[in-house]
Amino acid sequence: MTVDLVVVGLGYVGLPLAKEAVASGLNVLGFDAYGSVVDGLNNGRSHVDDLSDSDIATMQSKGFRATSNVEDIRGADAAVICVPTPLSAEGGPDLAAVIAATETIAEALAPGMLVVLESTTYPGTTEDIVKPILERGGLRAGTDFHLAFSPERIDPGNAQFGMRNTPKVVGGIDPASTDRAADLYARFVDTVVRASGTREAETSKLLENTYRHVNIALMNEMSKFCHDLGIDLWDVIKLAKTKPFGFQAFYPGPGVGGHCIPIDPNYLSHRVKSELGYSFRFVELAQEINMAMPAYIVQRSQDLLNDEGKALKGSKVLLLGVTYKPDIADQRESPARPLGVALLAKGADLSFHDPYVESWAIDGGSMTRVADLDQAIAQADLVIFVQNHDAYDAEAYANAAALFFDTRGVTNPDGASHRL
């Protein structure tokens, strides 16, 4: 049977994409360089939050399988690259996984094939990096095969918007490539939006997350001076968002996490600086503000303990929630990590609880996960509410704790908690 689509990279982006493509009747092959991922999926085990083992079983019943053998890719109609792009030491994207995935596809590239890059990166990657690798064998993009970029927009844990009902942006190196990519995604995505080209599609993803990064930084900066002025910022935001136009609510917090917001804007900033020689000042300032929030939380924690006649050093501090967003197990770039490191550096007796995390290692050591949450809250000198999981009853915890610091603004402002 002809393979309609090969998904290269079976993580939080690639696996949901494969699921929707399979559900729409495409014959889908998953490719991953990690044998443990391939073996797990072929044995019916999911390793991402948004797919269950039963989802994998359903996919398998419709022909899906995973492989690490490049020979299995040969003859496929299309290949989509969904591999991670972490920050490099220089501050731009580390394209090692993209290059490796492209080289894998290049080995199996055939006339008429469509190749789409979904990995978030700087503008120009598709044409400057991916295209030359694919053309090494003599085939020419736009003539012998099609090439496009389509930014991933997966939001792990989002129950309202998933792969199918989130509009898909596609931009090819030429109109024919755009059309071919649009036709592919239209088979399993409700709305496809055509971009002018690959660079516009690449930049659109960076704009989306830079917009969020900058606005979160604005709220984080406001949280500091509103606290000093005795103003309840959470109430301010509630009031402002009653305006039906001209305002979108963003919220302060202990920092930003996940693969997108703390990472993606730096790709654009790095590209502007390296290519044009000047700074993208909004991004650099937003990064400075957001990265400083864990230290600010520690400062506020010290102040709260001082008011009770206690030092942070030696105090029992309990962190509630260490993932980067609610109701998932994903810890990538979670602000809980630099917060924990800073608390340890100040001598805190640190422990944690998270319903999705059994073990948590920071600063070279494993943190204690409390077994009895109620008892741990009662015994702690300070409880810091870091992530608002649905399983948590923040108001009850605030009433039970000696000191409760709510960094998510979910508790009653007139209650027992102290809010960011």
Side-chain angles (χ1 to χ4, degrees):
M1 183 183 295
T2 301
V3 174
D4 297 314
L5 175 64
V6 176
V7 179
V8 181
L10 299 174
Y12 81 100
V13 173
L15 207 53
L17 187 153
K19 176 191 172 187
E20 288 299 337
V22 168
S24 296
L26 276 68
N27 183 27
V28 180
L29 176 70
F31 183 95
D32 202 283
Y34 291 96
S36 58
V37 170
V38 170
D39 291 343
L41 290 171
N42 286 337
N43 287 317
R45 297 192 303 272
S46 175
H47 58 283
V48 301
D49 287 300
D50 287 344
L51 274 76
S52 64
D53 290 351
S54 62
D55 290 325
I56 303 302
T58 299
M59 293 168 65
Q60 290 175 322
S61 72
K62 297 180 180 180
F64 174 81
R65 67 182 179 90
T67 184
S68 292
N69 186 354
V70 67
E71 294 301 318
D72 293 338
I73 299 177
R74 296 191 188 280
D77 288 339
V80 176
I81 299 171
C82 302
V83 295
T85 47
L87 281 179
S88 67
E90 294 76 28
D94 181 348
L95 296 179
V98 169
I99 291 170
T102 305
E103 289 174 340
T104 296
I105 294 170
E107 292 184 45
L109 189 65
M113 192 174 182
L114 166 68
V115 180
V116 182
L117 176 63
E118 284 211 6
S119 304
T120 306
T121 183
Y122 61 79
T125 301
T126 306
E127 295 188 36
D128 298 342
I129 304 296
V130 174
K131 180 172 172 283
I133 294 173
L134 294 175
E135 290 183 332
R136 287 175 186 169
L139 297 179
R140 291 292 171 260
T143 301
D144 302 307
F145 66 93
H146 301 286
L147 178 61
F149 182 85
S150 179
E152 62 89 2
R153 283 173 156 178
I154 294 294
D155 184 19
N158 192 323
Q160 182 178 4
F161 292 103
M163 185 72 207
R164 178 170 289 279
N165 65 345
T166 301
K168 203 78 175 75
V169 171
V170 296
I173 61 164
D174 57 12
S177 292
T178 300
D179 289 343
R180 178 72 186 279
D183 289 345
L184 169 68
Y185 285 112
R187 297 180 68 178
F188 55 92
V189 178
D190 294 340
T191 304
V192 176
V193 183
R194 287 172 164 81
S196 300
T198 58
R199 292 172 184 264
E200 288 75 15
E202 289 163 338
T203 309
S204 70
K205 173 62 185 293
L206 302 183
L207 175 60
E208 292 170 16
N209 286 324
T210 299
Y211 171 78
R212 295 173 65 194
H213 192 48
V214 169
N215 279 282
I216 291 170
L218 171 64
M219 294 298 102
N220 281 335
E221 187 81 341
M222 287 190 71
S223 71
K224 297 179 181 180
F225 68 72
C226 281
H227 171 70
D228 291 339
L229 293 171
I231 297 169
D232 184 347
L233 178 59
W234 303 98
D235 191 49
V236 171
I237 297 170
K238 182 179 72 174
L239 297 171
K241 72 179 185 179
T242 61
K243 186 178 181 180
F245 55 89
F247 181 82
Q248 181 180 354
F250 288 84
Y251 300 92
V256 292
H259 179 264
C260 293
I261 298 177
I263 305 296
D264 296 356
N266 292 287
Y267 300 164
L268 194 53
S269 178
H270 180 267
R271 189 63 166 174
V272 168
K273 184 170 288 187
S274 62
E275 286 288 304
L276 303 178
Y278 53 82
S279 299
F280 191 171
R281 290 183 292 169
F282 263 119
V283 166
E284 293 178 2
L285 181 58
Q287 187 76 347
E288 178 184 332
I289 292 169
N290 288 336
M291 288 184 67
M293 287 307 291
Y296 176 68
I297 299 301
V298 173
Q299 175 196 321
R300 288 280 304 275
S301 298
Q302 283 183 298
D303 292 342
L304 290 171
L305 286 165
N306 283 341
D307 289 343
E308 299 298 319
K310 297 180 179 179
L312 177 55
K313 184 176 182 179
S315 288
K316 293 182 178 180
V317 179
L318 172 64
L319 300 185
L320 296 186
V322 297
T323 61
Y324 88 86
K325 66 181 299 186
D327 304 323
I328 64 171
D330 200 332
Q331 301 174 44
R332 287 173 300 163
E333 306 298 326
S334 171
R337 187 170 301 277
L339 174 58
V341 169
L343 287 167
L344 289 174
K346 294 290 186 180
D349 180 3
L350 190 64
S351 60
F352 84 98
H353 180 273
D354 193 300
Y356 297 92
V357 179
E358 289 296 326
S359 61
W360 189 49
I362 59 171
D363 204 23
S366 296
M367 296 298 100
T368 300
R369 183 185 190 274
V370 300
D372 186 324
L373 180 55
D374 291 336
Q375 182 182 66
I377 290 172
Q379 293 177 346
D381 295 300
L382 172 66
V383 177
I384 306 178
F385 192 69
V386 184
Q387 192 52 265
N388 185 26
H389 294 303
D390 283 345
Y392 284 154
D393 186 344
E395 201 68 60
Y397 302 157
N399 290 327
L403 280 174
F404 190 87
F405 187 9
D406 174 10
T407 72
R408 295 296 180 177
V410 298
T411 52
N412 184 348
D414 299 321
S417 71
H418 299 268
R419 303 203 298 176
L420 179 64

